[in-house]
Amino acid sequence: MTSSPIDQKSAILTTDFLTTGRRVIRREADALTMLADALGDSFGQAVDLLMAASGRVIVSGMGKSGHIARKIAATFASTGTPAHFVHPAEASHGDLGMVAKGDVLIVLSNSGETSELADLIAHSRRFGIPMIGVAARDGSTLLRQSDVAILLPDAPEACETGIVPTTSTTMTLALGDALAIALMEHRAFTPDHFRMFHPGGKLGARLLRVRDLMHDDPPLVSEATPMSEVLLTITQRGFGVVGVTGADGLLTGIITDGDLRRHMDGLLALSAGQVMTRAPRTISPDALAGEALAAMNDRKITCLLVTGPDPMRAIGVVHIHDCLRAGVA
């Protein structure tokens, strides 16, 4: 069965689209390799300048460079470096007041001659505000005026006409990421720090620790406690479990709903020590909440006792509902 002319044309177009897509991605990937190879002393000088800032990092750019500047500022801010974006045109109408001594400017412009940047550059020179310029044209006004000039390599744009900012913006974005990560690693920025700046959403939930969700007063009874009292404790506390401790106060077991069912006959005549399951599964308060959820799912249980620093001393309890309410999944 032969294909129709429409199907043949569609197949040809699909092949053409794939060819274009692969060419664009490979061209931008090649440009990133060029950028990595081209990084020199100016990159280190830029990091030193950013490290020394007592104020904020102000990132600015016009047009497509402005969009990249917004993302770079957001990356700095979320990795421990106070930063924000200032629109160069708005800066000329009052927002220059947002740029002050102690700040460091990062100004982006592919040509290095963007007219809207003039007032921002002049302001930085007048008040001695250090400026890092990023451009693709050597000898451009921006690079000549900058305290640290980072020249992007001469890589072709991804489009065949060479007029659409594509490769140049990809390189600038990667450069911003490189600066942010260099600062982050130098400051030993940890996942806990990252969570402080990302308290909401999936990312923040994944970085929560058990100590952030646990209840500090775990339900506990001694081994000698009559089961009539144990049942009252389980009902009053509402976790569906109770930890059992020895004479030294250390955890020796746990009583769950399953334990109650297994000892139904003559239950009230027994003590907690006779009903409990020994060596209960526990978790550290420093463990990720995701680990606690995985452990509960794996064991088909709804609660974990939290122990620490002594591995057998219960200091809290975490319920599966605590994890789900926090968005841990």
Side-chain angles (χ1 to χ4, degrees):
M1 181 177 180
T2 59
S3 57
S4 68
I6 293 177
D7 290 338
Q8 292 174 351
K9 182 178 180 181
S10 177
I12 292 171
L13 286 174
T14 298
T15 301
D16 288 345
F17 295 155
L18 281 172
T19 300
T20 300
R22 288 168 178 160
R23 186 195 75 237
V24 168
I25 292 170
R26 286 180 180 132
R27 186 169 292 181
E28 297 200 6
D30 290 343
L32 290 177
T33 300
M34 292 172 63
L35 175 63
D37 294 339
L39 287 186
D41 292 342
S42 60
F43 181 82
Q45 292 165 6
V47 174
D48 287 340
L49 204 57
L50 294 166
M51 283 291 300
S54 59
R56 297 154 301 172
V57 175
I58 311 298
V59 194
S60 188
M62 194 70 189
K64 302 296 188 298
S65 292
H67 295 303
I68 299 301
R70 287 181 187 274
K71 194 276 177 185
I72 291 174
T75 301
F76 275 121
S78 69
T79 52
T81 299
H84 66 248
F85 169 78
V86 170
H87 194 288
E90 296 295 333
S92 300
H93 295 275
D95 281 2
L96 283 176
M98 299 170 69
V99 186
K101 277 191 175 294
D103 295 343
V104 173
L105 267 171
I106 300 178
V107 181
L108 315 177
S109 170
N110 189 43
S111 67
E113 301 293 345
T114 306
S115 58
E116 290 88 351
L117 296 172
D119 289 340
L120 191 61
I121 294 172
H123 179 78
S124 74
R125 302 303 81 188
R126 178 182 177 189
F127 293 101
I129 298 168
M131 183 170 67
I132 299 165
V134 180
R137 186 175 299 172
D138 196 11
S140 61
T141 301
L142 173 59
L143 295 188
R144 284 189 287 105
Q145 292 291 330
S146 297
D147 298 284
V148 176
I150 299 180
L151 178 66
L152 298 175
D154 185 16
E157 298 290 4
C159 65
E160 296 292 28
T161 59
I163 60 173
V164 180
T166 45
T167 301
S168 56
T169 51
T170 298
M171 287 192 293
T172 307
L173 181 61
L175 178 64
D177 287 342
L179 289 169
I181 299 304
L183 288 168
M184 175 180 165
E185 291 183 355
H186 185 82
R187 290 171 171 152
F189 196 80
T190 66
D192 282 335
H193 295 134
F194 197 78
R195 182 172 57 80
M196 287 173 59
F197 297 107
H198 299 77
K202 275 288 185 191
L203 188 56
R206 287 175 182 170
L207 295 173
L208 285 171
R209 301 282 177 181
V210 169
R211 68 169 67 256
D212 300 316
L213 300 178
M214 74 179 193
H215 302 267
D216 293 330
D217 183 22
L220 298 173
V221 297
S222 69
E223 290 185 10
T225 304
M227 282 306 299
S228 57
E229 294 182 26
V230 172
L231 290 173
L232 284 174
T233 301
I234 292 176
T235 303
Q236 290 169 354
R237 297 303 305 277
F239 293 107
V241 301
V242 65
V244 184
T245 61
D248 55 5
L250 297 182
L251 196 64
T252 57
I254 192 170
I255 296 175
T256 67
D257 182 61
D259 295 312
L260 297 179
R261 290 196 301 271
R262 282 188 291 273
H263 295 83
M264 188 66 69
D265 290 340
L267 178 67
L268 296 181
L270 302 175
S271 67
Q274 293 172 302
V275 175
M276 71 182 186
T277 296
R278 292 190 176 275
R281 177 71 183 268
T282 62
I283 196 162
S284 163
D286 295 322
L288 288 172
E291 295 177 45
L293 181 62
M296 286 186 274
N297 283 331
D298 183 56
R299 299 286 288 269
K300 294 182 172 56
I301 56 179
T302 59
C303 279
L304 282 173
L305 290 169
V306 183
T307 57
D310 187 318
M312 293 310 295
R313 188 172 298 279
I315 62 171
V317 61
V318 61
H319 195 283
I320 194 168
H321 290 164
D322 299 322
C323 296
L324 296 178
R325 274 194 297 268
V328 180

